[in-house]
mmCIF file of all heavy atoms in Angstrom:
data_model
loop_
_atom_site.group_PDB
_atom_site.id
_atom_site.type_symbol
_atom_site.label_atom_id
_atom_site.label_comp_id
_atom_site.label_asym_id
_atom_site.label_seq_id
_atom_site.Cartn_x
_atom_site.Cartn_y
_atom_site.Cartn_z
ATOM 1 N N LEU V 16 -5.020 10.937 -8.261
ATOM 2 C CA LEU V 16 -4.599 9.569 -8.388
ATOM 3 C C LEU V 16 -4.673 8.759 -7.120
ATOM 4 O O LEU V 16 -4.902 7.543 -7.143
ATOM 5 C CB LEU V 16 -3.124 9.656 -8.900
ATOM 6 C CG LEU V 16 -2.446 8.357 -9.421
ATOM 7 C CD1 LEU V 16 -3.243 7.779 -10.590
ATOM 8 C CD2 LEU V 16 -1.038 8.684 -9.886
ATOM 9 N N GLU V 17 -4.472 9.411 -5.980
ATOM 10 C CA GLU V 17 -4.378 8.650 -4.732
ATOM 11 C C GLU V 17 -5.616 7.826 -4.447
ATOM 12 O O GLU V 17 -5.511 6.639 -4.173
ATOM 13 C CB GLU V 17 -4.121 9.605 -3.574
ATOM 14 C CG GLU V 17 -3.867 8.887 -2.261
ATOM 15 C CD GLU V 17 -3.505 9.815 -1.165
ATOM 16 O OE1 GLU V 17 -3.547 11.034 -1.271
ATOM 17 O OE2 GLU V 17 -3.138 9.305 -0.082
ATOM 18 N N GLY V 18 -6.822 8.412 -4.526
ATOM 19 C CA GLY V 18 -7.995 7.640 -4.289
ATOM 20 C C GLY V 18 -8.179 6.525 -5.236
ATOM 21 O O GLY V 18 -8.664 5.450 -4.890
ATOM 22 N N LEU V 19 -7.915 6.779 -6.552
ATOM 23 C CA LEU V 19 -8.022 5.768 -7.540
ATOM 24 C C LEU V 19 -7.065 4.569 -7.266
ATOM 25 O O LEU V 19 -7.468 3.417 -7.391
ATOM 26 C CB LEU V 19 -7.759 6.366 -8.939
ATOM 27 C CG LEU V 19 -8.752 7.314 -9.506
ATOM 28 C CD1 LEU V 19 -8.201 8.067 -10.673
ATOM 29 C CD2 LEU V 19 -10.034 6.543 -9.863
ATOM 30 N N LEU V 20 -5.858 4.925 -6.916
ATOM 31 C CA LEU V 20 -4.856 3.858 -6.604
ATOM 32 C C LEU V 20 -5.275 3.034 -5.418
ATOM 33 O O LEU V 20 -5.135 1.840 -5.446
ATOM 34 C CB LEU V 20 -3.486 4.472 -6.425
ATOM 35 C CG LEU V 20 -2.829 4.983 -7.657
ATOM 36 C CD1 LEU V 20 -1.531 5.702 -7.330
ATOM 37 C CD2 LEU V 20 -2.567 3.860 -8.674
ATOM 38 N N ILE V 21 -5.781 3.686 -4.397
ATOM 39 C CA ILE V 21 -6.269 2.906 -3.204
ATOM 40 C C ILE V 21 -7.442 1.982 -3.610
ATOM 41 O O ILE V 21 -7.475 0.799 -3.231
ATOM 42 C CB ILE V 21 -6.638 3.821 -2.041
ATOM 43 C CG1 ILE V 21 -5.336 4.494 -1.535
ATOM 44 C CG2 ILE V 21 -7.337 3.122 -0.950
ATOM 45 C CD1 ILE V 21 -5.581 5.637 -0.565
ATOM 46 N N TYR V 22 -8.362 2.532 -4.371
ATOM 47 C CA TYR V 22 -9.514 1.747 -4.846
ATOM 48 C C TYR V 22 -9.061 0.510 -5.608
ATOM 49 O O TYR V 22 -9.463 -0.605 -5.372
ATOM 50 C CB TYR V 22 -10.414 2.593 -5.719
ATOM 51 C CG TYR V 22 -11.541 1.867 -6.414
ATOM 52 C CD1 TYR V 22 -12.665 1.432 -5.718
ATOM 53 C CD2 TYR V 22 -11.431 1.542 -7.745
ATOM 54 C CE1 TYR V 22 -13.623 0.694 -6.351
ATOM 55 C CE2 TYR V 22 -12.397 0.808 -8.393
ATOM 56 C CZ TYR V 22 -13.507 0.374 -7.692
ATOM 57 O OH TYR V 22 -14.465 -0.344 -8.355
ATOM 58 N N TYR V 23 -8.156 0.725 -6.613
ATOM 59 C CA TYR V 23 -7.749 -0.371 -7.462
ATOM 60 C C TYR V 23 -6.841 -1.345 -6.725
ATOM 61 O O TYR V 23 -6.873 -2.524 -6.976
ATOM 62 C CB TYR V 23 -7.096 0.142 -8.751
ATOM 63 C CG TYR V 23 -8.158 0.558 -9.669
ATOM 64 C CD1 TYR V 23 -8.417 1.908 -9.950
ATOM 65 C CD2 TYR V 23 -8.941 -0.378 -10.427
ATOM 66 C CE1 TYR V 23 -9.386 2.318 -10.828
ATOM 67 C CE2 TYR V 23 -9.939 0.065 -11.270
ATOM 68 C CZ TYR V 23 -10.162 1.369 -11.448
ATOM 69 O OH TYR V 23 -11.192 1.790 -12.349
ATOM 70 N N PHE V 24 -6.077 -0.823 -5.716
ATOM 71 C CA PHE V 24 -5.272 -1.744 -4.875
ATOM 72 C C PHE V 24 -6.217 -2.735 -4.194
ATOM 73 O O PHE V 24 -5.991 -3.920 -4.199
ATOM 74 C CB PHE V 24 -4.424 -0.963 -3.881
ATOM 75 C CG PHE V 24 -3.790 -1.857 -2.857
ATOM 76 C CD1 PHE V 24 -2.552 -2.497 -3.163
ATOM 77 C CD2 PHE V 24 -4.320 -2.103 -1.596
ATOM 78 C CE1 PHE V 24 -1.964 -3.322 -2.255
ATOM 79 C CE2 PHE V 24 -3.782 -2.981 -0.738
ATOM 80 C CZ PHE V 24 -2.596 -3.565 -1.022
ATOM 81 N N CYS V 25 -7.261 -2.164 -3.561
ATOM 82 C CA CYS V 25 -8.160 -3.028 -2.818
ATOM 83 C C CYS V 25 -8.903 -4.042 -3.775
ATOM 84 O O CYS V 25 -9.062 -5.201 -3.428
ATOM 85 C CB CYS V 25 -9.233 -2.160 -2.085
ATOM 86 S SG CYS V 25 -8.546 -1.211 -0.748
ATOM 87 N N LEU V 26 -9.269 -3.544 -4.952
ATOM 88 C CA LEU V 26 -9.944 -4.421 -5.878
ATOM 89 C C LEU V 26 -9.028 -5.519 -6.372
ATOM 90 O O LEU V 26 -9.415 -6.693 -6.420
ATOM 91 C CB LEU V 26 -10.413 -3.525 -7.092
ATOM 92 C CG LEU V 26 -11.355 -4.155 -8.070
ATOM 93 C CD1 LEU V 26 -12.704 -4.430 -7.455
ATOM 94 C CD2 LEU V 26 -11.495 -3.234 -9.293
ATOM 95 N N ILE V 27 -7.804 -5.187 -6.721
ATOM 96 C CA ILE V 27 -6.884 -6.192 -7.231
ATOM 97 C C ILE V 27 -6.500 -7.159 -6.102
ATOM 98 O O ILE V 27 -6.379 -8.369 -6.299
ATOM 99 C CB ILE V 27 -5.646 -5.511 -7.885
ATOM 100 C CG1 ILE V 27 -6.127 -4.827 -9.180
ATOM 101 C CG2 ILE V 27 -4.536 -6.519 -8.179
ATOM 102 C CD1 ILE V 27 -5.120 -3.864 -9.768
ATOM 103 N N PHE V 28 -6.223 -6.615 -4.898
ATOM 104 C CA PHE V 28 -5.893 -7.488 -3.817
ATOM 105 C C PHE V 28 -7.041 -8.470 -3.564
ATOM 106 O O PHE V 28 -6.813 -9.685 -3.322
ATOM 107 C CB PHE V 28 -5.646 -6.675 -2.548
ATOM 108 C CG PHE V 28 -5.194 -7.479 -1.365
ATOM 109 C CD1 PHE V 28 -3.852 -7.978 -1.279
ATOM 110 C CD2 PHE V 28 -6.082 -7.770 -0.340
ATOM 111 C CE1 PHE V 28 -3.470 -8.663 -0.203
ATOM 112 C CE2 PHE V 28 -5.627 -8.520 0.769
ATOM 113 C CZ PHE V 28 -4.316 -9.004 0.826
ATOM 114 N N GLU V 29 -8.309 -8.004 -3.613
ATOM 115 C CA GLU V 29 -9.466 -8.882 -3.422
ATOM 116 C C GLU V 29 -9.522 -9.944 -4.512
ATOM 117 O O GLU V 29 -9.933 -11.053 -4.256
ATOM 118 C CB GLU V 29 -10.744 -8.009 -3.426
ATOM 119 C CG GLU V 29 -11.998 -8.824 -3.125
ATOM 120 C CD GLU V 29 -11.989 -9.563 -1.756
ATOM 121 O OE1 GLU V 29 -11.293 -9.121 -0.805
ATOM 122 O OE2 GLU V 29 -12.772 -10.546 -1.609
ATOM 123 N N ALA V 30 -9.163 -9.571 -5.737
ATOM 124 C CA ALA V 30 -9.180 -10.581 -6.834
ATOM 125 C C ALA V 30 -8.199 -11.725 -6.473
ATOM 126 O O ALA V 30 -8.560 -12.920 -6.687
ATOM 127 C CB ALA V 30 -8.734 -9.898 -8.153
ATOM 128 N N PHE V 31 -7.041 -11.398 -5.944
ATOM 129 C CA PHE V 31 -6.075 -12.462 -5.549
ATOM 130 C C PHE V 31 -6.737 -13.244 -4.363
ATOM 131 O O PHE V 31 -6.586 -14.535 -4.419
ATOM 132 C CB PHE V 31 -4.753 -11.839 -5.090
ATOM 133 C CG PHE V 31 -3.867 -11.494 -6.177
ATOM 134 C CD1 PHE V 31 -3.939 -10.348 -6.913
ATOM 135 C CD2 PHE V 31 -2.813 -12.404 -6.528
ATOM 136 C CE1 PHE V 31 -3.076 -10.035 -8.014
ATOM 137 C CE2 PHE V 31 -1.885 -12.081 -7.563
ATOM 138 C CZ PHE V 31 -1.975 -10.917 -8.292
ATOM 139 N N GLN V 32 -7.356 -12.545 -3.430
ATOM 140 C CA GLN V 32 -7.935 -13.300 -2.297
ATOM 141 C C GLN V 32 -9.067 -14.242 -2.737
ATOM 142 O O GLN V 32 -9.165 -15.341 -2.256
ATOM 143 C CB GLN V 32 -8.422 -12.270 -1.299
ATOM 144 C CG GLN V 32 -7.401 -11.435 -0.584
ATOM 145 C CD GLN V 32 -6.411 -12.280 0.201
ATOM 146 O OE1 GLN V 32 -6.792 -13.003 1.139
ATOM 147 N NE2 GLN V 32 -5.115 -12.244 -0.195
ATOM 148 N N GLN V 33 -9.877 -13.704 -3.704
ATOM 149 C CA GLN V 33 -11.045 -14.549 -4.178
ATOM 150 C C GLN V 33 -10.534 -15.828 -4.844
ATOM 151 O O GLN V 33 -11.251 -16.875 -4.813
ATOM 152 C CB GLN V 33 -11.881 -13.713 -5.095
ATOM 153 C CG GLN V 33 -12.702 -12.678 -4.474
ATOM 154 C CD GLN V 33 -13.776 -13.161 -3.550
ATOM 155 O OE1 GLN V 33 -14.443 -14.206 -3.883
ATOM 156 N NE2 GLN V 33 -13.962 -12.544 -2.440
ATOM 157 N N GLU V 34 -9.372 -15.761 -5.416
ATOM 158 C CA GLU V 34 -8.754 -16.944 -6.042
ATOM 159 C C GLU V 34 -8.059 -17.865 -5.052
ATOM 160 O O GLU V 34 -7.499 -18.850 -5.401
ATOM 161 C CB GLU V 34 -7.785 -16.541 -7.166
ATOM 162 C CG GLU V 34 -8.499 -15.956 -8.390
ATOM 163 C CD GLU V 34 -9.394 -16.992 -9.072
ATOM 164 O OE1 GLU V 34 -8.980 -18.198 -9.232
ATOM 165 O OE2 GLU V 34 -10.493 -16.646 -9.495
ATOM 166 N N GLY V 35 -8.065 -17.439 -3.773
ATOM 167 C CA GLY V 35 -7.425 -18.193 -2.739
ATOM 168 C C GLY V 35 -5.845 -18.081 -2.754
ATOM 169 O O GLY V 35 -5.159 -18.913 -2.257
ATOM 170 N N ILE V 36 -5.377 -17.062 -3.435
ATOM 171 C CA ILE V 36 -3.954 -16.867 -3.540
ATOM 172 C C ILE V 36 -3.406 -16.115 -2.321
ATOM 173 O O ILE V 36 -3.897 -15.031 -1.942
ATOM 174 C CB ILE V 36 -3.617 -16.029 -4.828
ATOM 175 C CG1 ILE V 36 -4.050 -16.860 -6.064
ATOM 176 C CG2 ILE V 36 -2.137 -15.744 -4.891
ATOM 177 C CD1 ILE V 36 -3.986 -16.108 -7.348
ATOM 178 N N GLN V 37 -2.360 -16.665 -1.712
ATOM 179 C CA GLN V 37 -1.698 -16.014 -0.623
ATOM 180 C C GLN V 37 -0.478 -15.311 -1.088
ATOM 181 O O GLN V 37 0.248 -15.920 -1.956
ATOM 182 C CB GLN V 37 -1.422 -16.982 0.527
ATOM 183 C CG GLN V 37 -2.679 -17.553 1.128
ATOM 184 C CD GLN V 37 -2.349 -18.481 2.337
ATOM 185 O OE1 GLN V 37 -1.215 -18.674 2.703
ATOM 186 N NE2 GLN V 37 -3.361 -19.068 2.928
ATOM 187 N N LEU V 38 -0.163 -14.169 -0.544
ATOM 188 C CA LEU V 38 0.976 -13.411 -0.963
ATOM 189 C C LEU V 38 1.992 -13.310 0.175
ATOM 190 O O LEU V 38 1.651 -13.185 1.338
ATOM 191 C CB LEU V 38 0.560 -11.992 -1.412
ATOM 192 C CG LEU V 38 -0.473 -11.891 -2.498
ATOM 193 C CD1 LEU V 38 -0.862 -10.453 -2.724
ATOM 194 C CD2 LEU V 38 0.081 -12.532 -3.752
ATOM 195 N N ASN V 39 3.281 -13.384 -0.217
ATOM 196 C CA ASN V 39 4.371 -13.032 0.720
ATOM 197 C C ASN V 39 4.373 -11.505 0.829
ATOM 198 O O ASN V 39 3.871 -10.772 -0.002
ATOM 199 C CB ASN V 39 5.710 -13.456 0.155
ATOM 200 C CG ASN V 39 5.800 -15.015 0.129
ATOM 201 O OD1 ASN V 39 5.543 -15.659 1.069
ATOM 202 N ND2 ASN V 39 6.182 -15.517 -1.043
ATOM 203 N N LYS V 40 5.050 -11.037 1.902
ATOM 204 C CA LYS V 40 5.209 -9.569 2.058
ATOM 205 C C LYS V 40 6.101 -9.062 0.929
ATOM 206 O O LYS V 40 7.120 -9.662 0.600
ATOM 207 C CB LYS V 40 5.826 -9.320 3.450
ATOM 208 C CG LYS V 40 6.048 -7.854 3.695
ATOM 209 C CD LYS V 40 6.674 -7.612 5.062
ATOM 210 C CE LYS V 40 6.837 -6.146 5.225
ATOM 211 N NZ LYS V 40 7.449 -5.804 6.545
ATOM 212 N N ILE V 41 5.732 -7.923 0.426
ATOM 213 C CA ILE V 41 6.485 -7.297 -0.649
ATOM 214 C C ILE V 41 7.410 -6.287 0.000
ATOM 215 O O ILE V 41 6.952 -5.373 0.673
ATOM 216 C CB ILE V 41 5.595 -6.617 -1.655
ATOM 217 C CG1 ILE V 41 4.704 -7.661 -2.378
ATOM 218 C CG2 ILE V 41 6.419 -5.850 -2.730
ATOM 219 C CD1 ILE V 41 3.596 -7.094 -3.259
ATOM 220 N N THR V 42 8.701 -6.452 -0.173
ATOM 221 C CA THR V 42 9.706 -5.637 0.472
ATOM 222 C C THR V 42 10.187 -4.518 -0.472
ATOM 223 O O THR V 42 9.948 -4.570 -1.663
ATOM 224 C CB THR V 42 10.913 -6.465 0.935
ATOM 225 O OG1 THR V 42 11.577 -6.982 -0.241
ATOM 226 C CG2 THR V 42 10.484 -7.658 1.829
ATOM 227 N N GLU V 43 10.940 -3.581 0.141
ATOM 228 C CA GLU V 43 11.564 -2.543 -0.714
ATOM 229 C C GLU V 43 12.513 -3.193 -1.755
ATOM 230 O O GLU V 43 12.531 -2.694 -2.882
ATOM 231 C CB GLU V 43 12.326 -1.561 0.194
ATOM 232 C CG GLU V 43 11.438 -0.655 1.032
ATOM 233 C CD GLU V 43 10.651 0.326 0.203
ATOM 234 O OE1 GLU V 43 11.183 0.843 -0.827
ATOM 235 O OE2 GLU V 43 9.482 0.603 0.547
ATOM 236 N N GLN V 44 13.175 -4.231 -1.343
ATOM 237 C CA GLN V 44 14.101 -4.898 -2.297
ATOM 238 C C GLN V 44 13.312 -5.526 -3.471
ATOM 239 O O GLN V 44 13.736 -5.480 -4.604
ATOM 240 C CB GLN V 44 14.958 -5.959 -1.585
ATOM 241 C CG GLN V 44 16.005 -6.562 -2.446
ATOM 242 C CD GLN V 44 17.030 -5.538 -2.929
ATOM 243 O OE1 GLN V 44 17.590 -4.827 -2.142
ATOM 244 N NE2 GLN V 44 17.245 -5.454 -4.239
#
Side-chain angles (χ1 to χ4, degrees):
L16 193 58
E17 186 174 7
L19 290 167
L20 287 172
I21 292 169
Y22 170 78
Y23 283 103
F24 171 83
C25 293
L26 191 68
I27 292 165
F28 184 77
E29 183 62 24
F31 277 82
Q32 295 297 301
Q33 290 292 320
E34 288 296 317
I36 298 171
Q37 294 185 3
L38 303 175
N39 292 310
K40 181 179 178 178
I41 299 171
T42 65
E43 288 293 323
Q44 187 62 53

